[in-house]
Structure formats: C-alpha cells, structure tokens
C-alpha cells in the first residue's frame, strides 16, 4: 500500500518521538538531574502557560473561524481544550512556589489539576472521535463552550474545598490515585489512537494524521510522568516538553481543519470559478469570453505592427442530427473528441469552444499572401478525414469553416466574429467546406434571417399546403397510396420547395409544429377522399428526427387520427435510417407506434446506418429504396446490384419494397423483374395538389 506525504510525515514524527523516549529512558542514569526549584519553576510555568495559550487559541479558532463549516469534532475538541486550559492554568497558579499553592496530604492541589487536565483530554478525545464527524449549526458553539468551561470551574471549586487531612491523599492511597490516574490517561490516549486509525482506515485526512501525532506525544508525556517520582528534576521537565509538543500538533490539526483547509477549499473554489469563467467545462477549451479578450489584444498588437489576424469559426455538420439520433451523452463525447483533434492543430490557448458544436481558432500575424491561411484551413478540414472511434463503433463527421481577416473584414472583435460567422453559414450551405468572408454574404445571411422570421409567421397563418405523389403497385398497376409532401406559399417569393425551408425548421425547432400540421392535414385529406368515393389508400407521411424523439409521440399521433376520423391502418409513417442509430430507443418508439395500428416504412434505405441485426428488431412494414440507386438502375453498375439485394433481402424479411424516383419504362421493367412491389416518381406524376390528384386518379382509373 502506497503512503502519501502526510502519512509518511506522521509515521516519521511518531517513530522519532518514540525513539527519543526510548533513548532518554536508556540513558536515564546519566541524564537525570535535579534542578534548582526557582529555575524549574520558571521553566515549568513557561511551558504550562504556553499550553494554556494553545488551549485558548483552539477555543478562539473553534469560535471565530469558518462557522459555516463547523463540525462536531471541531466544536467539541475546541470546547474540551477550553476546559483543559482552565485546569492547566490552575495547575500553574497552585504549583509549589506560586501564590495559590496548597498541599493535600501527600499530594498537592496542583497535581490534582494536572491529573484532571490529562484525564479530561484523554477521555474527551476518545469520546469525541468515537463517532463520525458531521456538520453542526453555529448556534451550538455557546452552549458547548459554556458547558465545558463551567464544568471545569465547578470541578476546580470542588478541589479548593477539599480537606487536606483526608486519607484519600495520604500514603498509599495518594500513590495509588496518582498511578491509577496516569494509567487511565495512558490507556485513554492509546485507545484514542487506535480508534482514530480504525475509523479512518480507508482514507486518512491530513488533520486526522496531525491529531495522531499529538496523541503520541500526549501518551509519551504521561508515561514520562508515570516513571518520574521527583518534583524538580529533568524527568518532569521532559514530560512537560512532550506535553507541549502534543499541544503544538493538536493546535496544528485544529488550525488545519478550521483555517487552512477551509482557506484552501476557498482558493480551490475561487480558482475553479475563474477557470470556468474563461474555459468550457465539457472540453476544457477556452471559451468565448477569453476569445474576445485575446482577440482584442491581438488586434491592438496588429495595429501597432501593421499585421493581420485571421479568425476561424467552425462547427460540426449535422451535429443536431447526431445529438437527436444518439443522445446528448454521445454528443458530449463527440464534442470532446473533436476538441482533442483541434488541440493538435494549434496550441490549446488558441482553440476555443464558442458554445454548442461551434469552435473558434485564432491565427495572429497571418501573412498577407493568403495561402498560408488557406493551407491551415485545409489542414484543419483534413483533421476530420479519419473517423472517430467512440465505444466500439467508428463515426465519420465533417466540419464547415468560416474565415474573417483583420483589417479588411473588420477592425473590431464584434465585426470579425460576426463576419466569420457569416462565412461559416455560407460554408454550411454545402457542408464540408471552408469559406472566407465576402461582403455579399451579408445579404444572404440577412435573407436567411428574414426567411426564418417569415417561417414563424407562415406557421401561424398556415401558408403551407400539401402536394401528393402516388405509390403504384407494380403487379396490378393500381394506385395503392400517396406520399404527402409539404410546400410553402410564400407571399412574396412564391411557391418554395421543402429544400429551402425544411433544414431551417429543423435547426430552430419549428419542425415540430410544422410536422404536426402536415400529419393532421394529410389524415384529414385522406378521410375526405374516402368520403368522396375514392377507394381507401395508404397515406404516407415523413417524420423528422425531432418528431421521432418527441415526448409522447404515439399519443400525439393517436389524437390526430381520432380528430380526423381516418382509420390508423391507412397511415404510413416514414422514418430514416439515421433515426434508428439508438436501437433501444428506436425499438421502443416504433413498438408504441405499431400499437396504434399504423404502418412503418424506412425511407431512403441504403444511405444510412442500419444493420441487419438491428433491422430485425424493428416492427417495420416497408423499405423505400433511395432515388440515388434508382437513377442509374439500367446502366448495369453497382446500383442495380444494390437494388436487387435490397429487394431480395426485404422479401426474405417479409417486407414490402418501394422504389423512389422512377422516371422511365426501363426502370419499371427492371423493378418488376426483381419483385419490387411498388414504385413512386415522375414516371407517374410529379407531386400535385389534392384537387389535381383527385382528377388525375379518376382519369387514370377510367383509362386503365
């Protein structure tokens, strides 16, 4: 078992004290000397008054310092030695040669006081450390101190009333009383040492180890008094020296727990607060506040030297999807892994976490040519070519990076950060790219803000509509379902496709409101078609990642179905493979949805992260082959093999298959030969409004 520094010091001090005692006893014959009474009285009084001062200091420490962290051990130890100090002071005042000296047979009043002091100290410490430490209210200080001092004063008053002629203090009775008291004192100190070591066997705080040292010296002091029978000799003086050493270590322990330890804790807390004020707690990187201060300093330096400064802002592409799919705990691990990679690209003090998944880097004195900065940007982008290994899996992530320069892109901290942020949003439009700031980017950023503002108003004013694209059974050539696709009728910009506003709704959380509206409108429309005489068909609606992880999703969908009156078996919910990364959560959520009686399909299959082992656990009904595999289906490449494999696998798993993006007869023929059940795409019709779809359906039914 390894020992820490405090334990080694305690062992060394205790061993040295014991060896000194053994050595003094071994050389006792040559060292023992009687001392002149006046000289001994001076030395004895000095030592005892020093001991009283220590007791008074412990009383003050326990009363005044850090009362908010007062504990039983601290309070009762201070109160105990307040009483011991009273006995020590009276021991000095009643010593032979002092004003209040008084004999009691073969003993003296001074000897009773010193025995009482040692007995109280030994027994009191044993009782105090017998129980576990715990916090106590500050209001308990006065009763504890008053009771301890009052009991000591009452005992002292009783001693002054004793009759010196009683047989208790004469002859053998006096000797037995003295030896018995000293034996009790020795056993008390020894028992306290064993008790303290046992109770703190797992962990030994420094304060406890210091108290152990004091108990060792108290024990040796008592043994020295026990082995001495003179009154003015070197043995008694050595015993008082051991006692004074015990007081010193006891005061040191009390000082440590009442002053030094709380002060160190305060300094650690202060240091922690200062660290958190300028650093990110999760990654340990510098934060936005420190970036602003250091960027301000760099700008001042660049102004004096006509230098340049580059500011890099970067964030992780699709991090919100990662967070939603795999959970915030996994997201935190990813952020920590990213920060570690960035530390390798620049000194830690030049890498900052701005918040969320956004990081910053500062490049002072950037050269005017621009190429060095571009090379550094490419180098940072290249850091993410290798996958991140988290747990037992590998994850590929990319970043987008925006750059601004001093002085051409701004001469203040706020301007440089704002323009770097604008460049970052420009890079994020394509993902996995870096972009330097250009003035025209402000217009695009402004348009994006306006679009977000318009989007909130659009949801309130229901400026959205649904377009429907049919799903056709390839065997019967009958329309068996439709997919509902949202469109935005912007009052100024006209009809906007989903790609221009859906990513924005996913970022700001509006996708939850929009997704719920889409689901309700699609169900009501399907019910209206059924009421109008169209044959029942499947209504397919996409769920976003945020919707899929929404609290009480099944209850919300159940309420929509009840309000619309549409039977649940005609609703098909489409999810993406990325939503199933958290297998346990996905399995539970899909099971709760299946209990409603709805159908489940996996959209864009083949482009995500699903494994066959996890796919078997999900209660799904259909796979939808992504259009990227269907486009070049007839070219004889790998896409054809992928589609054939997916259809064969789905057949073995008893799942339906729908091919998306079908546009020509060759694709239809290939899919039929591979037993693909359904097709969807421009081959039949583009997504069209509800009234046009109804006309298209009736016309198709009449000409079929």
């Amino acid at each position: 078992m390894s020992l820490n520094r405090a334990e080694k010091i305690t062992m060394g001090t205790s061993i040295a004290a014991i060896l000194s005692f053994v050595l003094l006893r071994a050389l006792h014959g040559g060292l023992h000397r009687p001392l002149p009474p006046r000289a001994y009285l001076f030395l004895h009084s000095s030592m005892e008054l020093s001991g009283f001062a220590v007791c008074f200091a412990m009383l003050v420490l326990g009363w005044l310092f850090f009362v908010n962290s007062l504990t039983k051990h601290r309070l009762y130890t201070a109160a105990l030695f307040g009483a011991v100090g009273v006995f020590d002071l009276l021991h000095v005042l009643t010593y032979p040669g002092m004003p209040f000296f008084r004999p009691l047979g073969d003993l003296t009043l001074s000897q009773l006081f010193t025995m009482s002091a040692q007995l109280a100290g030994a027994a009191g410490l044993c009782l105090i450390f017998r129980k576990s430490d715990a916090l106590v209210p500050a209001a308990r200080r006065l009763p504890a101190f008053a009771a301890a001092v009052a009991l000591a004063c009452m005992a002292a008053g009783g001693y002054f009333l004793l009759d010196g002629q009683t047989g208790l203090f004469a002859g053998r009775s006096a000797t037995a009383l003295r030896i018995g008291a000293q034996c009790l004192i020795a056993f008390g100190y020894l028992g306290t040492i064993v008790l303290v070591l046992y109770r703190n066997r797992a962990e030994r705080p420094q304060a406890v180890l210091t108290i152990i040292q004091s108990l060792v010296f108290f024990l040796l002091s008592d043994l020295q008094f026990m082995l001495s029978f003179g009154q003015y000799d070197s043995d008694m003086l050595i015993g008082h020296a051991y006692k004074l050493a015990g007081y010193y270590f006891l005061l040191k322990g009390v000082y440590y727990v009442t002053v030094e330890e709380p002060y160190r804790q305060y300094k650690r807390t202060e240091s922690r607060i200062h660290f958190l004020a300028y650093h990110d707690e999760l990654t340990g990187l510098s934060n936005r506040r420190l970036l602003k201060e250091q960027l301000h300093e760099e700008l001042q330096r660049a102004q004096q030297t006509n230098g340049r400064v580059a500011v890099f802002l970067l964030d992780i592409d699709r991090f919100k999807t990662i967070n939603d799919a795999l959970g915030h705990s996994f997201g935190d691990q990813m952020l920590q892994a990213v920060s570690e990679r960035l530390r390798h690209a620049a000194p830690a003090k030049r890498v900052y976490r701005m918040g969320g998944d956004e990081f910053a880097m500062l490049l002072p004195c950037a050269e005017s040519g621009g190429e060095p900065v571009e090379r550094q940007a490419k180098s940072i982008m290249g850091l993410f070519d290798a996958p991140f290994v988290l747990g037992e899996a590998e994850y590929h992530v990319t970043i987008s990076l925006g750059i601004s320069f001093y002085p051409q892109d701004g001469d203040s901290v706020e301007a440089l950060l704002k323009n770097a942020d604008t460049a970052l949003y420009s890079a994020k439009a394509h993902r996995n790219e870096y972009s330097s700031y250009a003035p025209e980017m402000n217009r695009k950023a402004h348009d994006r803000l306006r679009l977000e503002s318009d989007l909130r108003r659009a949801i309130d004013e229901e400026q959205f509509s649904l377009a429907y694209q049919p799903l056709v059974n390839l065997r019967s050539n009958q329309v068996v379902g439709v997919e509902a696709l949202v469109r935005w009728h912007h009052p100024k910009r006209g009809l906007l496709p989903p790609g221009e506003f859906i990513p924005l709704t996913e970022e700001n959380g509006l996708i939850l409101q929009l997704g719920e509206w889409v689901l309700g409108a699609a169900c009501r429309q399907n019910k209206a078609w059924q009421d109008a005489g169209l044959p029942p068909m499947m209504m397919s609606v996409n769920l976003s990642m945020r919707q899929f992880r929404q609290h009480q999703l099944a209850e919300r969908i159940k309420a929509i179905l009840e309000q619309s009156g549409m039977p649940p078996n005609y609703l098909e919910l489409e999810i993406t493979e990325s939503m199933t990364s958290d297998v346990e959560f996905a399995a539970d959520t899909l099971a709760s949805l299946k209990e409603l009686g709805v159908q489940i399909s996996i959209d864009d299959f083949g482009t995500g992260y699903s494994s066959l082992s996890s796919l078997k656990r999900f209660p799904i009904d259909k796979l939808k082959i992504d259009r990227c595999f269907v486009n070049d289906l007839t070219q004889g490449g790998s896409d054809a093999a992928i589609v054939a494999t997916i259809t064969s696998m789905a057949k073995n798993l008893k799942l339906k298959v729908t091919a998306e993006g079908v546009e020509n007869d060759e694709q239809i023929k290939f899919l039929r030969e591979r037993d693909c059940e359904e097709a969807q795409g421009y081959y039949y019709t583009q997504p069209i409004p509800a009234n046009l779809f109804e006309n298209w359906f009736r016309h198709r039914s009449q000409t079929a």
Side-chain angles (χ1 to χ4, degrees):
M1 180 180 67
S2 59
L3 300 176
N4 58 38
R5 183 172 179 271
E7 291 173 332
K8 291 178 181 178
I9 291 175
T10 299
M11 290 184 62
T13 302
S14 302
I15 292 172
I18 294 171
L19 289 177
S20 69
F21 178 79
V22 173
L23 186 62
L24 287 172
R25 298 314 303 175
L27 302 176
H28 180 264
L31 296 177
H32 179 263
R33 293 286 186 276
L35 299 174
R38 295 180 66 84
Y40 180 85
L41 181 62
F42 173 77
L43 294 173
H44 171 268
S45 300
S46 300
M47 291 182 176
E48 289 298 315
L49 289 174
S50 298
F52 169 74
V54 170
C55 293
F56 181 75
M58 284 191 283
L59 192 69
V60 172
L61 289 173
W63 179 267
L64 295 179
F65 290 93
F66 294 93
V67 295
N68 59 330
S69 59
L70 191 64
T71 66
K72 291 181 180 180
H73 288 178
R74 300 177 191 181
L75 172 64
Y76 296 142
T77 300
L80 171 65
F81 279 88
V84 171
V86 172
F87 287 130
D88 279 342
L89 179 62
L90 293 174
H91 166 63
V92 175
L93 296 176
T94 57
Y95 201 77
M98 298 298 286
F100 299 100
F101 169 71
R102 180 183 173 190
L104 293 174
D106 292 334
L107 296 177
T108 65
L109 192 58
S110 177
Q111 288 176 308
L112 283 181
F113 282 128
T114 191
M115 285 189 294
S116 298
Q118 293 181 74
L119 273 172
L125 287 174
C126 189
L127 290 173
I128 289 171
F129 288 98
R130 183 174 60 88
K131 294 185 177 181
S132 301
D133 203 8
L135 289 172
V136 293
R140 197 177 292 185
R141 289 176 299 162
L142 182 59
F145 292 156
V149 175
L151 288 173
C153 292
M154 290 173 59
Y159 291 165
F160 276 107
L161 297 176
L162 289 174
D163 184 359
Q165 303 302 317
T166 179
L168 181 63
F169 306 116
R172 294 181 178 178
S173 296
T175 302
L177 179 62
R178 185 173 69 87
I179 294 175
Q182 289 173 335
C183 289
L184 287 175
I185 293 166
F187 282 118
Y189 286 136
L190 186 61
T192 306
I193 292 172
V194 174
L195 181 65
V196 171
L197 289 175
Y198 177 76
R199 292 194 67 86
N200 296 273
R201 60 190 181 277
E203 183 179 359
R204 298 184 178 89
Q206 183 175 343
V208 169
L209 295 173
T210 308
I211 290 173
I212 291 294
Q213 297 174 53
S214 72
L215 291 171
V216 170
F217 279 104
F218 283 143
L219 176 60
L220 296 178
S221 171
D222 183 64
L223 293 176
Q224 185 71 13
F225 290 144
M226 189 184 303
L227 297 173
S228 174
F229 291 94
Q231 191 170 11
Y232 302 106
D233 59 9
S234 57
D235 284 347
M236 295 293 289
L237 205 61
I238 292 171
H240 283 96
Y242 279 130
K243 179 181 175 183
L244 192 60
Y247 275 139
Y248 164 76
F249 283 106
L250 187 62
L251 177 63
K252 184 179 178 181
V254 172
Y255 171 81
Y256 182 82
V257 297
T258 56
V259 178
E260 186 172 347
E261 184 181 31
Y263 178 74
R264 288 183 178 179
Q265 180 62 35
Y266 167 77
K267 295 300 291 184
R268 286 194 294 268
T269 303
E270 185 181 56
S271 177
R272 179 66 175 167
I273 292 173
H274 183 270
F275 178 84
L276 292 178
Y278 290 96
H279 293 82
D280 173 59
E281 185 175 14
L282 177 65
T283 64
L285 294 176
S286 304
N287 62 10
R288 180 187 293 268
R289 177 181 296 169
L290 188 56
L291 168 64
K292 289 184 175 182
E293 292 185 7
Q294 293 186 344
L295 179 55
H296 179 71
E297 294 173 0
E298 290 298 336
L299 292 181
Q300 289 181 326
R301 190 176 298 112
Q303 289 171 0
Q304 296 171 358
T305 61
N306 293 323
R308 300 177 78 225
V309 179
V311 177
F312 285 8
L313 279 186
L314 59 98
D315 72 2
I316 304 170
D317 295 331
R318 301 180 63 84
F319 181 74
K320 287 184 175 61
T321 300
I322 296 173
N323 233 3
D324 291 340
L326 302 177
H328 291 282
S329 177
F330 179 87
D332 288 346
Q333 295 180 48
M334 179 64 73
L335 290 173
Q336 290 171 333
V338 168
S339 67
E340 282 300 315
R341 286 210 183 167
L342 292 176
R343 280 192 178 99
H344 294 298
K349 66 178 182 179
R350 296 299 185 186
V351 181
Y352 310 82
R353 184 186 176 201
M354 303 293 283
D357 63 318
E358 191 171 79
F359 297 84
M361 298 180 70
L362 206 57
L363 281 74
C365 304
E367 298 181 16
S368 58
E371 286 190 359
V373 173
E374 287 195 2
R375 282 202 300 268
Q376 292 187 60
K378 291 178 181 178
S379 175
I380 292 170
M381 302 290 291
L383 290 174
F384 296 85
D385 291 342
F388 289 90
V389 180
L390 299 176
E392 299 180 355
E394 293 184 349
Y395 299 90
H396 291 267
V397 299
T398 59
I399 63 167
S400 298
L401 191 151
I403 309 171
S404 65
F405 293 93
Y406 168 86
Q408 64 264 39
D409 297 332
D411 58 0
S412 67
V413 171
E414 290 73 16
L416 287 172
L417 291 177
K418 173 181 173 296
N419 291 336
D421 194 49
T422 301
L424 171 62
Y425 273 108
S426 177
K428 282 183 70 67
H430 306 284
R431 294 194 176 95
N432 196 25
E433 289 189 3
Y434 70 91
S435 178
S436 297
Y437 171 76
E440 58 268 20
M441 291 179 181
N442 280 330
R443 180 184 58 79
K444 294 181 180 179
H446 180 71
D447 290 345
R448 184 179 182 277
L449 290 175
R450 287 293 303 272
L451 187 64
E452 182 173 357
S453 177
D454 293 344
L455 188 59
R456 295 181 183 276
R457 186 182 302 110
I459 291 179
D460 294 335
E461 297 178 0
E462 294 191 4
Q463 297 175 3
F464 297 97
S465 65
L466 294 181
Y468 301 90
Q469 190 171 41
L471 282 74
V472 178
N473 186 289
L474 291 175
R475 294 192 185 95
S476 64
N477 205 32
Q478 297 294 315
V479 177
V480 293
V482 291
E483 180 177 357
L485 302 168
V486 67
R487 299 291 185 264
W488 181 9
H489 294 273
H490 194 279
K492 294 181 179 179
R493 299 174 60 177
L495 187 65
L496 297 181
E500 291 193 26
F501 62 89
I502 289 297
L504 189 58
T505 64
E506 291 176 343
E507 287 184 22
N508 57 28
L510 294 176
I511 190 66
L512 295 178
Q513 294 174 256
L514 181 58
E516 197 159 316
W517 178 87
V518 169
L519 191 60
C523 290
R524 288 191 296 272
Q525 182 60 64
N526 198 22
K527 184 65 167 62
W529 281 335
Q530 293 179 20
D531 294 342
L534 267 67
M537 66 183 72
M538 190 69 66
M539 176 62 70
S540 183
V541 180
N542 290 280
L543 288 182
S544 69
M545 176 69 76
R546 283 179 177 264
Q547 279 182 285
F548 189 67
R549 299 191 71 87
Q550 191 176 16
H551 182 60
Q552 294 183 333
L553 174 63
E555 287 78 359
R556 292 174 180 272
I557 293 177
K558 180 180 180 181
I560 291 173
L561 288 169
E562 291 176 348
Q563 291 170 6
S564 65
M566 189 184 82
N569 58 304
Y570 291 118
L571 175 62
E572 181 178 87
L573 300 174
E574 295 187 15
I575 64 171
T576 60
E577 288 182 88
S578 58
M579 298 182 192
T580 64
S581 299
D582 186 344
V583 177
E584 295 297 330
F585 176 83
D588 292 341
T589 303
L590 293 175
S592 64
L593 293 175
K594 285 297 292 182
E595 289 178 0
L596 300 177
V598 302
Q599 303 291 297
I600 304 292
S601 68
I602 294 186
D603 194 17
D604 301 335
F605 186 77
T607 62
Y609 312 100
S610 293
S611 65
L612 291 178
S613 60
S614 61
L615 200 62
K616 291 168 56 179
R617 294 189 55 185
F618 302 142
I620 58 176
D621 304 283
K622 182 192 294 184
L623 301 179
K624 299 189 75 173
I625 303 174
D626 188 74
R627 66 181 65 249
C628 68
F629 300 121
V630 177
N631 289 339
D632 299 324
L633 195 60
T634 59
Q635 303 301 318
S638 59
D639 288 345
I642 291 173
V643 171
T645 301
I646 293 176
T647 54
S648 176
M649 177 193 69
K651 185 176 181 181
N652 290 328
L653 292 174
K654 295 180 174 56
L655 301 176
K656 292 182 179 180
V657 182
T658 298
E660 298 179 300
V662 177
E663 297 182 355
N664 54 57
D665 290 322
E666 289 79 5
Q667 293 170 342
I668 292 290
K669 181 180 178 182
F670 181 93
L671 293 171
R672 281 175 174 159
E673 290 174 352
R674 299 304 184 278
D675 289 332
C676 181
E677 283 91 347
E678 298 172 358
Q680 172 185 352
Y682 280 17
Y683 179 80
Y684 300 105
T685 179
Q686 63 181 352
I688 52 180
N691 59 335
L692 295 182
F693 176 82
E694 184 175 347
N695 294 336
W696 175 88
F697 180 85
R698 294 185 186 277
H699 176 75
R700 190 176 189 278
S701 300
Q702 293 172 0
T703 58

